[in-house]
Amino acid sequence: MRHLRTVGGFGVIAVAGVQASFVLSRPYPQVGVTLMIQFLTPIAVIAWNWAVRGQRPSGATHRWPKRRRAR
């Protein structure tokens, strides 16, 4: 709890940076290409860690939240 403001600040800066870079890069490539790059980047990072460092993806990488059943 001591560092909550610091961690929150870094989180806000990270999210704002991603969105700003996305908006600023839109005039150059087509929108479809930009969206593809944005959404495939986490997969590329996981693949890079696996290929270069030999670090396989953990169970948290592909774990989906459980859905509640409708009554």
Side-chain angles (χ1 to χ4, degrees):
M1 293 299 281
R2 263 185 0 194
H3 302 290
L4 186 60
R5 291 176 70 183
T6 304
V7 172
F10 280 128
V12 168
I13 290 170
V15 171
V18 168
Q19 294 304 317
S21 65
F22 173 70
V23 169
L24 293 174
S25 70
R26 275 193 50 206
Y28 300 106
Q30 294 177 355
V31 175
V33 174
T34 306
L35 286 172
M36 184 181 68
I37 291 170
Q38 181 182 7
F39 290 122
L40 289 179
T41 301
I43 296 171
V45 169
I46 292 169
W48 176 266
N49 274 334
W50 196 354
V52 173
R53 296 183 178 178
Q55 181 180 0
R56 293 188 64 180
S58 67
T61 308
H62 56 80
R63 190 173 301 144
W64 294 96
K66 293 182 180 179
R67 291 187 177 180
R68 293 184 180 178
R69 290 186 178 179
R71 294 182 187 192

